[in-house]
Amino acid sequence: MKRLGFMLSAAALLVAGWTIFGSAAGRFDVKLTLDKQMVHVLNRMTFGPRPADLAEVRRLGVDKWIDQQLHPDRIPQNPALEAKLKPLESLQLAMWQIMDKYNAPPIGALPPMVSPLSTLPPLQVSKLTNGGSVEEKKAVLASLDPDTRRRLLATAPPQMMEGLPDELQQEAIKARQAEQEARQMEMRRLMPPLNELITPEQMRLARQGNPADKLALMDSFEPAKRQQVVRALGPQAFQDVPELRREAMLLTQPQQLVNSELIENKLNRAIYSNRQLEEVLVDFWMNHFNVFNGKGQDRVLLTSYERDAIRPNVFGHFKDLLLATAKHPAMLFYLDNWQSQAPRDDLPVPVGPNGAPVRRPGLNENYGRELMELHTMGVNGGYTQQDVIAVARAFTGWSIYDPNKYGEYQFNPAVHDRKEKIVLGHTLPPGRAEQDGLDVIDILAHHPSTAKFISRELAQRFVADDPPQALVDRMAETFTKTDGDLRAVMQTMFTSVEFSSEGAWQAKLKSPLEMVVSAVRSLNADTTDVFALAQRIADLGEPLYGHVEPTGYPNTGESWTNTAGILGRINFASALASGQVPGVKVDVSRFNFKPPASVAGDLLGYAPSASMLSSMEKGIEGKEATPSMLTGVVLSSPEFQRR
Amino acid sequence: MLTRRYFLRSSAIAVAGMGAAPAWILRAAAPQTRKQKILISIFQRGAADGLNIVVPHFEKRYYDLRPAIAVPAPGKPNGAIDLDGRFSLHPALQQLKPLWDSGQLAIVEATGSPDPNRSHFEAQDQMESGTPGKTTDDGWMNRALPRANASTSPVRAIAIGAKMPRTLRGNCNAVAVSDLQQFQVGNAPAAGILESMYASSSDAQLGSQGKETFEALKLIASINKTPYQPVNGAQYIGEFGNALRQIARLIKADAGVEAAFAEIGGWDHHSNEPGQLPGLLNQFGNSLAAFTRDMGDRMQDIALVTMSEFGRTAAEDGNNGTDHGHGSVMFVLGGPVHGGKVYGQWPGLQPEQLFEKRDLAVTTDYRAVLGELVRDHLGQSIEPVFPGFKPGNPLGLLKT
């Protein structure tokens, strides 16, 4: 019996060749039926079909629908999306405005303890902190007025205190303690503890009340008190009230709010935008040119990076996209280029105020390497370690004007490496400043390895994990012929036999983002808050904007198919279907009294396999199968994990 | 043929499925696992700077190459912790010193892949494949597992995290678990349908993973019945600590773990290395020390090994960091380890001694280290695990 079962399923595997990962080779020449094509384009060029989408593709015809997605300006935007994006204030601001508003210390926080060192004459500073003798240090301290002396001792760096006698050490400890106590008092005055601000009953409402209770309670306070209460409660207390959560974040962790709004922006667009391919492409290129939100200032720089560098270029020329990322402070900061300078031996050594040489920064290879390996040529594209160094030297001076305050790109000629460089056989003559980097962008954007690598990456996202080489070659040809016109390259791909073939059908596994968003879309669910959805996606292994390494998230299925991933998806699906994901309103009443076959067919867009159907039918025999249970099961199925 | 152990394990699963899983059934079901040898592999993603983790403080040239970021020699303020007069631990690794002193911790210097690749993802893929210069679909640790039989545990090979690392991918069942406590199906009535749906699916990739998921679910559900309390004052910190805690819990529950994997990222310090390395090393060292304490005498069955895709430039770069390099350092920890010793041949840091005049050379192939653990700890032959690799003289990492 067991043996027979095995042989039967082996036979089924052969018949349904498309479901076997990697075994689809040879079937990329068999065209899908028209019905399948319609589901297929929706699965590949959107974040999953909404219930009405199939009818729209049928009405327009597949070719016309594809063409429309390739020209998003011809698609009227969904008015619901605008309303969802409206509360996200940071998205409407220019980069400098974001820096201005959210980079400041949290409102009400005490200014950091400032050492009066910076106000002293350089010679005194040098004596105190840079190897002055004990007698010299004592003399400087004796010359200060009592207040400056007290503040200096309270904030003294360890090297300043080194070797000083006990009585001065004691004085410093006392000064530090007094300063700390004073600050604590001030903090308490500015931010009284919660139990001094509100009654126990109010506290209970604020913590356990429903969203309306919480809003009403906060509205009942004077503005100043409201600020104190909201800050004391913090964002944790308002997980279920988006507007209060944002208010609390602005008060306690403003930088985090920028990132949180960027995530809300992404999910709302993925769920609601009518220009779905555009959103898929923004996600694809953000991942290709990955920047990690956990690295310092990148938290506040990413909003502009996506909006101003990536989004305007996803249907444009690759070179423009590449240059926009190369110049954006988010990338300059992430891969350290902003502080990369001509090798130390190449420039005169600067001298500090005390006459001693100052050690200035030198060369950093980080960006130069990833630019070729990940952004353009691919790891086997044919560059050497010498090319990495030459590219890094070419980009010296591509920097950021004050990354903590303004965060704008600036070329700094003073630190640029002026010598001649040879990049991939091209000679960059000496002394051409910013033009060096521009030339490198040009060389890389037109390199044949780049045409192949970018084409393969796109085909891997849209066709199959191991896309047919013939297709990649034709895309690369278009890339070269059109000077890297990405729309043209995608046209070659989307109109190819391979794209619409049995080999590509259901060959891709959804990433966590794709799985979660496609489930929400398939149910036409309404979101009032996407915060919980973002958390779910992170739990499934894809925290948005949160990939540490420059490689980005994998484009292929094997890293997502594992026990943790499958269980996570199962649990998300049933929570979603039964309305247990906060902020997401789900209505499955359209499945009332519907049999499993109809629920599965509706959510998948095609008729479920016999084995899937029989598992469902046997499983509900003699039980009450609610629509939400059936929905959860279909969204958990192997079929729904593919696109 | 059904063994007694299989029967007991099945019973445990059946009982667990019904909502009560006495710990004795599990323990009785797995009497052999007490002697089961366990191999744990830790990956430091991002290319950890071996030279600042285990400091060659006897090399004056180390201080010349790294004027701003060198770890001060032992005895200086914030100095490294001397091991053998030549090498010393970064001060943030102080919790590992007692393990060195008690002979449980060995260090292999100037080790890594013979392939000169400096790409993070390629070098990681190749190292996890166990095949320098190329990538295979399966990982070395999966190939190191013996063929499964009826009594093999569904969690014999376990990776902590939401993704399955290449190290453990392959023909043998391997499961990924983010958090044991949350490893359960929320909607119990649907579980049966889904189990059958995945089992009968023609989707080769998802079907088999689904089957493994449901087997692991039952076993882990029974383990979760007993709350977990680390012992001997073990305090796991950070995400990495939490990963080791999960592994410890499974091992102590006699779940039949043979191979485990955990990772810790964030080592790519191109700038401001002194500002970042100590915090990361603190989490790394504390977690390894906590795991050792928590395991107590179970460490007798455990060998744990750490690795990173490559090391970093011998000289500091222009921003108080280091760029992509070559040779690095591995730690080998466990009861069977012949520790308290730095293994490997030190290649030196003079320009002509460096690899391509810039990086610490590799004098010990990382496969030599892993190979000894595969052969002497797991009792498997090296060839299928590291195809084409010819081990030289044994390092003698394990007690015989």
Side-chain angles (χ1 to χ4, degrees), chain B residues 310-332:
Chain B
F310 42 74
R312 309 191 69 81
T313 44
E316 65 189 35
D317 68 11
N319 307 121
N320 291 350
T322 43
D323 289 328
H324 296 187
H326 194 47
S328 191
V329 68
M330 292 170 85
F331 289 166
V332 186

Short mmCIF file of all heavy atoms in Angstrom, two decimals, chain B residues 310-332:
data_model
loop_
_atom_site.label_atom_id
_atom_site.label_comp_id
_atom_site.label_asym_id
_atom_site.label_seq_id
_atom_site.Cartn_x
_atom_site.Cartn_y
_atom_site.Cartn_z
N PHE B 310 35.28 35.09 5.99
CA PHE B 310 36.71 35.39 5.82
C PHE B 310 37.07 36.41 6.89
O PHE B 310 36.20 36.89 7.61
CB PHE B 310 37.05 35.90 4.41
CG PHE B 310 36.09 36.89 3.80
CD1 PHE B 310 36.03 38.20 4.21
CD2 PHE B 310 35.23 36.48 2.76
CE1 PHE B 310 35.14 39.10 3.63
CE2 PHE B 310 34.34 37.38 2.18
CZ PHE B 310 34.29 38.69 2.62
N GLY B 311 38.38 36.70 6.98
CA GLY B 311 38.81 37.69 7.95
C GLY B 311 38.86 39.07 7.31
O GLY B 311 38.27 39.29 6.26
N ARG B 312 39.57 39.98 7.96
CA ARG B 312 39.60 41.35 7.46
C ARG B 312 41.04 41.80 7.24
O ARG B 312 41.98 41.13 7.68
CB ARG B 312 38.85 42.26 8.44
CG ARG B 312 37.46 41.72 8.78
CD ARG B 312 36.59 42.71 9.54
NE ARG B 312 36.19 43.84 8.72
CZ ARG B 312 35.18 43.82 7.85
NH1 ARG B 312 34.43 42.73 7.70
NH2 ARG B 312 34.89 44.89 7.14
N THR B 313 41.22 42.91 6.54
CA THR B 313 42.56 43.36 6.21
C THR B 313 43.42 43.45 7.48
O THR B 313 42.94 43.86 8.53
CB THR B 313 42.52 44.75 5.54
OG1 THR B 313 41.60 45.57 6.27
CG2 THR B 313 42.07 44.63 4.10
N ALA B 314 44.71 43.11 7.33
CA ALA B 314 45.61 43.17 8.48
C ALA B 314 45.77 44.61 8.94
O ALA B 314 45.81 44.89 10.14
CB ALA B 314 46.95 42.57 8.12
N ALA B 315 45.82 45.53 7.97
CA ALA B 315 45.93 46.95 8.32
C ALA B 315 44.53 47.53 8.48
O ALA B 315 43.59 47.09 7.82
CB ALA B 315 46.69 47.70 7.24
N GLU B 316 44.42 48.54 9.33
CA GLU B 316 43.14 49.23 9.41
C GLU B 316 42.93 50.03 8.13
O GLU B 316 43.88 50.38 7.44
CB GLU B 316 43.10 50.14 10.64
CG GLU B 316 44.11 51.29 10.58
CD GLU B 316 44.18 52.03 11.92
OE1 GLU B 316 44.05 51.38 12.96
OE2 GLU B 316 44.40 53.26 11.89
N ASP B 317 41.67 50.32 7.80
CA ASP B 317 41.40 51.11 6.60
C ASP B 317 41.35 52.59 6.98
O ASP B 317 41.79 52.97 8.07
CB ASP B 317 40.11 50.64 5.91
CG ASP B 317 38.85 50.92 6.73
OD1 ASP B 317 38.94 51.67 7.73
OD2 ASP B 317 37.78 50.41 6.37
N GLY B 318 40.79 53.41 6.10
CA GLY B 318 40.82 54.84 6.33
C GLY B 318 39.82 55.37 7.34
O GLY B 318 39.79 56.55 7.62
N ASN B 319 38.95 54.52 7.85
CA ASN B 319 37.88 54.99 8.73
C ASN B 319 37.79 54.22 10.04
O ASN B 319 36.69 53.90 10.50
CB ASN B 319 36.53 54.93 8.01
CG ASN B 319 36.55 55.63 6.67
OD1 ASN B 319 36.29 55.04 5.64
ND2 ASN B 319 36.91 56.90 6.67
N ASN B 320 38.95 53.90 10.63
CA ASN B 320 38.97 53.14 11.87
C ASN B 320 38.20 51.84 11.77
O ASN B 320 37.55 51.41 12.72
CB ASN B 320 38.42 53.97 13.05
CG ASN B 320 39.36 55.09 13.42
OD1 ASN B 320 40.49 55.13 12.92
ND2 ASN B 320 38.92 55.99 14.26
N GLY B 321 38.27 51.25 10.59
CA GLY B 321 37.66 49.94 10.40
C GLY B 321 38.64 49.06 9.64
O GLY B 321 39.85 49.34 9.60
N THR B 322 38.11 48.00 9.07
CA THR B 322 38.93 47.09 8.27
C THR B 322 38.11 46.65 7.07
O THR B 322 36.89 46.55 7.15
CB THR B 322 39.34 45.85 9.08
OG1 THR B 322 38.21 45.38 9.82
CG2 THR B 322 40.48 46.16 10.04
N ASP B 323 38.77 46.37 5.95
CA ASP B 323 38.07 45.93 4.75
C ASP B 323 38.15 44.40 4.63
O ASP B 323 38.75 43.75 5.48
CB ASP B 323 38.64 46.64 3.52
CG ASP B 323 38.26 48.13 3.48
OD1 ASP B 323 37.16 48.45 3.97
OD2 ASP B 323 39.05 48.95 2.99
N HIS B 324 37.57 43.89 3.56
CA HIS B 324 37.49 42.43 3.41
C HIS B 324 38.88 41.80 3.26
O HIS B 324 39.68 42.25 2.46
CB HIS B 324 36.64 42.08 2.18
CG HIS B 324 35.22 42.53 2.31
ND1 HIS B 324 34.25 42.21 1.40
CD2 HIS B 324 34.61 43.28 3.26
CE1 HIS B 324 33.10 42.74 1.78
NE2 HIS B 324 33.29 43.41 2.90
N GLY B 325 39.13 40.75 4.02
CA GLY B 325 40.44 40.13 4.03
C GLY B 325 40.38 38.64 3.75
O GLY B 325 39.59 38.19 2.91
N HIS B 326 41.19 37.87 4.46
CA HIS B 326 41.31 36.45 4.13
C HIS B 326 41.27 35.59 5.41
O HIS B 326 40.20 35.21 5.86
CB HIS B 326 42.58 36.23 3.31
CG HIS B 326 42.67 34.90 2.63
ND1 HIS B 326 41.64 34.36 1.91
CD2 HIS B 326 43.70 34.00 2.56
CE1 HIS B 326 42.01 33.18 1.43
NE2 HIS B 326 43.25 32.95 1.82
N GLY B 327 42.41 35.30 6.03
CA GLY B 327 42.45 34.40 7.18
C GLY B 327 41.75 34.99 8.40
O GLY B 327 41.69 36.20 8.57
N SER B 328 41.22 34.08 9.25
CA SER B 328 40.53 34.55 10.45
C SER B 328 40.78 33.55 11.58
O SER B 328 41.80 32.87 11.59
CB SER B 328 39.04 34.72 10.17
OG SER B 328 38.42 35.40 11.23
N VAL B 329 39.83 33.44 12.50
CA VAL B 329 40.02 32.59 13.67
C VAL B 329 38.77 31.76 13.90
O VAL B 329 37.66 32.18 13.56
CB VAL B 329 40.35 33.48 14.91
CG1 VAL B 329 39.15 34.30 15.32
CG2 VAL B 329 40.84 32.64 16.07
N MET B 330 38.94 30.55 14.42
CA MET B 330 37.79 29.70 14.78
C MET B 330 37.92 29.30 16.24
O MET B 330 39.03 29.08 16.73
CB MET B 330 37.75 28.43 13.91
CG MET B 330 37.43 28.68 12.45
SD MET B 330 37.67 27.21 11.41
CE MET B 330 36.10 26.37 11.62
N PHE B 331 36.79 29.19 16.91
CA PHE B 331 36.76 28.68 18.28
C PHE B 331 36.17 27.27 18.24
O PHE B 331 35.23 27.01 17.51
CB PHE B 331 35.86 29.53 19.18
CG PHE B 331 36.41 30.90 19.50
CD1 PHE B 331 35.58 31.87 20.05
CD2 PHE B 331 37.73 31.22 19.27
CE1 PHE B 331 36.07 33.13 20.35
CE2 PHE B 331 38.23 32.48 19.57
CZ PHE B 331 37.40 33.43 20.12
N VAL B 332 36.74 26.37 19.05
CA VAL B 332 36.17 25.04 19.21
C VAL B 332 35.95 24.83 20.70
O VAL B 332 36.89 24.98 21.50
CB VAL B 332 37.08 23.94 18.64
CG1 VAL B 332 36.37 22.60 18.70
CG2 VAL B 332 37.46 24.26 17.20
#
